Structure formats: C-alpha cells, structure tokens
Amino acid sequence: MLESKSNRVALYASAFLVIILVLFAMLRDNADKITLNDATEILDNHLVKKVVVSKDYVYLKTDKDFYKIASSQVTPKMFIDYQVEVDSGSNIIVYLLFLVLFLGIGSLVFRWLQKSPLKIGRSIQKDLSISAYETTRPIESTKSDVTFNDIGGISDVKIELEEIIDFMKNPKRYKTFGARMPRGVLLVGPPGVGKTMIAKAVANEAGVPFYYQSGASFVQIYVGMGAKRVHELFSAAKNNSPSIIFIDEIDAVGKTRDGQRNDEREATLNQLLTEMDGFENSSGVIVIAATNKIDILDSALLRAGRFDRRVFVELPTKRERESILSKYLAQIPHELDVKAIANMTVGFNGASLAALVNEAALLSIRQHDFQVTIDHFHHVKDKVMFGKKKLQMLSDKQKEYRVTYQAAKVTCATYFNLPFEKLMLSSEKLTPRTDDPLIKHELESRVKMLLAGMVACGIKFNEHASSAKVDLDEAKEIVNKMLQEYGMGESLLAKDKEQEIFMSRLYDETRILLESLLEVINKVENVLYERESITKEDVKIFIDKYL
C-alpha cells in the first residue's frame, strides 16, 4: 500500500515538472535585443516580415531571426511601410487554455488506465513479477474427486496401488509387521493412458491431501528457484501427512545428468533426490510420478529408496476398452454394441476413446439424430486417430489411381485379417501403427498391406502415384526393424543388401496375391466409386465368394 502511494506521488511530481517545462518553453521571450541603429538598418533593407508591438517592446521578425527593441526607442514613423500587430496577451490565454485541456484529458486517461487491466505504469513491473509470483506463492493441496470407478480398464494397476492406499489408511498394520511402503511410485506409460487420473484416484481413495506439480514447473529461469520450489513442496506435504505428492512428466527435471554442466535443472534434480532421501519411514508421504520416457531418467532417481516401485500403464486391451467406452457412453443416448466399438479401436488410449465418443455425439447432434449409431463412430474414427486434413481436389485420373490403390490395400488387409473396421476413400491411413509384440508372419502381412496399393497400380497402370510415400516409408521401417532389431532375416545379423532382397520378396508375393484377387479388387473399386467407403465385412463377403 505504501509502495503504491509513493509511486502515485512520484507520478504527480513528474507530471507537474513536465507542465512547468512546457509553460517555460511556450511563454519565455526568446527574441534577441538590438539597438536603434540595428533596427533602422533592418527596416531600411526591407528584411522585416512582421512587426508586433507590445507594452514594453517592439518585435521584428525576419526570415531567419527574431529581434526586439524597447518601445521607448522607436517612433511610429519607422513602421509606416509595415502592417503592425498589437500583442494584447491573448496568446498566453490560448496557451493556458491548451494546457488546461491537455491536463484534463491526461487526467481522464490516467484514471481509465488505473481501472483497466492494461496499466502502463505497472505493465513492466507485472511482467517481471509473474515468474517470481509463480515461484513464491504457497504450495497448496488439492481435493481429488476422481475414483477408481471413474477409470475403466486399469484392473492390474489398481491391484498394485491398492496396497499403497491400504498403507495410508492403516499404517500401523505395516509397521507392526516390520514392512515399509515404497517411498516413490513411478507410473510409466504412453501419453493419454490416464496416469494423472490414476494418481488422483489413489489420493481420493486414501482420503489424503494431494499435491500436484508438473516437472516443468520446477525448471525456472531464476537460479535456485526450482530447488526452492521442491523443498517447499516436500515441506508442505510433510506438514500435512499422510499425503501424496504427484509429479507429472518428471522427465522434464529428472533427465540423466551428463556431468558437463551444472545448470538449474540439475540443481533442481539434486534437491529432489535429497528430499526423497530425507524421508523417514514414518513420514506418511508417498511420491507418485508419471513419465513416458523412463529410458532418459537419471539412474539415481530410479534406485531403491526413491522410486522403488514401477507401475506400467499400457494401452487398454479389448476388454478394458469395453469398460472405458461403457463409462463414457453412460450419459449418451445410444443402442450400440460396445464390443463392436472396442473391436474397431485397437491402439486407442483412454483419452482417445473419450475424444471418439465425444466426436460421435457431436456428429449425431449436427445431423439431428436422436441417438449415436455405429456409423457416427465410423465417420469420426479417422479424425480422432490421424487428425482432420483438408483433402486435395482430385482429377478423374487421380481419383481412378486412388480408388485402385485403396481397394488393393483394403482387400489385402481383409485377406490377412488385420485390425480395421472400415476404409474411407479420403483417408490415408487404414490401420494404426502398433508396437505390440508381433510374430514374423504378422509383420510381413502388414508390410504386404502397405505395398498392396503400389502393386495394384503397377498391375493396372504400370505406375503409381507419389501419395504412396507414407506407406512405403512405414514398410521400409518395419522391414528394417525385422532385420536389424528382431533378427528375422536369414541370420540373426542382417547381411548386405538383405533388406532389398527381403522387400523384393514381399513385393513379389503381394503381386501374386493381388493377381489372384483381381475380381475382388474390381468389386471393391465399384463400391468405392459409389459410396467412397467400404467395411471389412463387405470385403470379406467378396473374398469368400471369389475364392
């Protein structure tokens, strides 16, 4: 309050000083005083452009200079050839009125800026103090309202964490038995699987304060602020124990130290390690952290006594997807078979499933339908998986190539029973990438599906389009991993040019397969021309009929 008052006084004083300076500049007499001889010479040479008479002086203005001479030294006859103006002092009044108007407008603008969020006088100070405020504001716990019932498909994870919940509810049971709970639990898994929600559910089920921080919030531009923030976080948790600290994306601060520099991040990591070492077994504080990059975490962070327990949260299985979808569809009007949607969402995480249900519901509303149907899910699936892209306008010839390309891909994918439900002519992707353990023939089937479009265009047109690049890149990547990482070549160590030979073999086998399925591909092309989409079941009917 005192600071704001002193700032206001300084501002008013500065404004007063500016006004004095302006008045001085406007009202001061800056004419050079001359003698009668000088005045007579200027007048005789006709250099004077303007004559102004005041009470005490006569002012003579030329092109370059401004002179004055005392009125008592001159006579009216000297100015008989000039038009003389009389200075009545009205200019001073005009100046004063201008200043009053200026001050009035300035005062109004100043008051408006004080009430406005854009305060010029404080904007720089506010920008400089934002980071300081973020790092000095007190650490406060949050109340979690998430339960395990709100999270579907985490039965295995729930079993791992129920022990921790029980420990926080009944610590004496474990102490009398001589057992201690892990000081830290690391949730490891890909983005979107619900790691943060799981931590919130643990805090809710245990009924303890929940302290949330992201790893990035510790990495400050001010030296020492990150370490200070860590200390404050752990102090607050200990003072309110039993409690849970959750550090999201811990890899932002917990990356492996290279020993070449001692920057703010490493100082923060050192403080985190020290705080976790300082835990007493009876402190009642458990640290839960989440990451999807466990391979880059510092080894000191993962050793026993810090993050002792690691819980891997994987992508949901089919049964788990059914459970998740059931929860999201509970409040949405539908008559859907949840198993069918679970079958078509292989590779989806919990967040993607939530987005899928929401997009399907929004599409249903846009189309003025009374309930969500399976067709709504088919239309929005690719949008959720790959994002919505603006499609290029295709000429008739380009569309002919694309139809053949997509028809061959969907035929091959159906023949090998790859996981998909429907193909859209406008979609570049058919099945999502997967890192699940796959057998050699399953990987080869996927590569053949990726090559099928090029093979079919080669059979029909003797060339293919540049749009095949995405599929070709993925096929090369899979073959490279099969030979270099999985040891699926002729020997465990790949030989020279083996990748080229391997790819050529798969290309030839795909060509032989598609030549036997040309009738099916033609039928699929007709459907794509008509509807621009086709389901896996439709293709399967064609294959069963012609084989």
Side-chain angles (χ1 to χ4, degrees), residues 57-90:
Y57 291 98
V58 174
Y59 294 90
L60 306 177
K61 183 171 179 57
T62 66
D63 287 333
K64 297 180 179 179
D65 300 305
F66 193 40
Y67 304 104
K68 66 179 179 180
I69 184 171
S71 300
S72 58
Q73 293 184 278
V74 297
T75 61
K77 292 181 179 180
M78 295 175 62
F79 311 109
I80 194 169
D81 296 328
Y82 295 92
Q83 184 176 356
V84 180
E85 295 181 10
V86 179
D87 183 6
S88 61
S90 59

Side-chain angles (χ1 to χ4, degrees), residues 148 151-159 193-194 198 201 313 320 323-324:
F148 280 123
I151 312 172
I154 57 165
S155 54
D156 294 340
V157 176
K158 184 177 178 181
I159 294 172
V193 293
I198 290 170
V313 188
E320 291 170 341
S323 174
I324 295 170

Side-chain angles (χ1 to χ4, degrees), residues 398-496:
Q398 290 170 335
K399 185 176 181 180
E400 185 180 1
Y401 272 70
R402 188 171 187 84
V403 166
T404 299
Y405 189 94
Q406 294 291 73
K409 278 183 67 176
V410 75
T411 301
C412 193
T414 305
Y415 181 85
F416 291 117
N417 197 27
L418 297 179
F420 82 98
E421 292 299 318
K422 188 176 185 178
L423 173 131
M424 305 289 291
L425 185 61
S426 59
S427 174
E428 295 180 359
K429 288 286 186 179
L430 180 59
T431 61
R433 288 172 175 263
T434 177
D435 292 325
D436 293 338
L438 295 175
I439 305 171
K440 181 181 178 181
H441 77 268
E442 293 175 328
L443 290 168
E444 289 186 350
S445 298
R446 183 170 182 84
V447 173
K448 290 177 181 178
M449 180 272 294
L450 295 168
L451 297 176
M454 288 183 291
V455 172
C457 288
I459 294 173
K460 188 171 183 178
F461 307 110
N462 202 31
E463 61 181 353
H464 62 265
S466 61
S467 57
K469 178 184 183 304
V470 176
D471 288 335
L472 182 58
D473 287 344
E474 187 177 345
K476 290 177 181 177
E477 182 182 347
I478 294 174
V479 170
N480 182 61
K481 286 184 176 180
M482 290 175 68
L483 299 177
Q484 303 293 338
E485 299 179 18
Y486 308 152
M488 293 180 176
E490 294 182 2
S491 61
L492 293 179
L493 296 177
K495 301 176 182 178
D496 293 340

Side-chain angles (χ1 to χ4, degrees), residues 142-149 158 160-171 174 181 185 197-211 240-245 284-288:
T142 59
K143 179 69 175 177
S144 172
D145 56 356
V146 179
T147 67
F148 280 123
N149 292 331
K158 184 177 178 181
E160 288 278 345
L161 298 176
E162 277 179 344
E163 222 172 29
I164 294 174
I165 296 170
D166 187 51
F167 168 76
M168 305 200 81
K169 287 183 175 179
N170 308 297
Y174 293 85
M181 273 289 96
V185 178
M197 290 185 68
I198 290 170
K200 289 183 178 180
V202 172
N204 186 311
E205 297 285 343
V208 297
F210 180 74
Y211 292 87
N240 294 278
S241 63
S243 59
I244 289 177
I245 295 174
V285 178
I286 290 180
V287 182
I288 300 178

Side-chain angles (χ1 to χ4, degrees), residues 121-328:
R122 299 179 185 175
S123 61
I124 298 176
Q125 180 182 358
K126 182 181 292 185
D127 291 340
L128 293 175
S129 64
I130 286 176
S131 295
Y133 169 73
E134 291 294 329
T135 56
T136 57
R137 63 177 178 176
I139 303 286
E140 296 180 355
S141 63
T142 59
K143 179 69 175 177
S144 172
D145 56 356
V146 179
T147 67
F148 280 123
N149 292 331
D150 298 325
I151 312 172
I154 57 165
S155 54
D156 294 340
V157 176
K158 184 177 178 181
I159 294 172
E160 288 278 345
L161 298 176
E162 277 179 344
E163 222 172 29
I164 294 174
I165 296 170
D166 187 51
F167 168 76
M168 305 200 81
K169 287 183 175 179
N170 308 297
K172 291 182 179 179
R173 175 186 172 192
Y174 293 85
K175 292 171 187 173
T176 55
F177 200 79
R180 70 169 182 84
M181 273 289 96
R183 295 179 182 178
V185 178
L186 188 63
L187 300 177
V188 184
V193 293
K195 298 186 290 292
T196 304
M197 290 185 68
I198 290 170
K200 289 183 178 180
V202 172
N204 186 311
E205 297 285 343
V208 297
F210 180 74
Y211 292 87
Y212 173 88
Q213 288 289 312
S214 67
S217 67
F218 294 124
V219 184
Q220 303 292 338
I221 60 174
Y222 300 108
V223 176
M225 282 297 184
K228 180 184 176 184
R229 192 72 174 167
V230 171
H231 177 70
E232 291 175 348
L233 174 64
F234 280 80
S235 296
K238 289 177 184 177
N239 293 335
N240 294 278
S241 63
S243 59
I244 289 177
I245 295 174
F246 178 65
I247 304 175
D248 198 7
E249 304 295 345
I250 195 172
D251 46 89
V253 71
K255 291 180 182 177
T256 301
R257 292 168 291 184
D258 53 18
Q260 298 179 359
R261 50 185 297 185
N262 185 22
D263 59 7
E264 173 66 5
R265 183 184 60 78
E266 292 192 2
T268 305
L269 174 58
N270 291 336
Q271 184 66 34
L272 177 60
L273 297 173
T274 303
E275 292 290 345
M276 294 193 71
D277 273 341
F279 272 5
E280 303 86 4
N281 291 337
S282 59
S283 65
V285 178
I286 290 180
V287 182
I288 300 178
T291 183
N292 55 356
K293 300 177 181 177
I294 190 174
D295 53 312
I296 67 172
L297 292 183
D298 195 276
S299 57
L301 203 58
L302 300 175
R303 73 158 175 79
R306 288 177 180 141
F307 287 104
D308 323 68
R309 180 171 295 185
R310 303 171 197 177
V311 178
F312 290 87
V313 188
E314 303 293 347
L315 290 172
T317 62
K318 177 183 174 181
R319 183 175 296 179
E320 291 170 341
R321 291 198 300 276
E322 291 178 17
S323 174
I324 295 170
L325 287 166
S326 297
K327 293 182 182 298
Y328 288 130

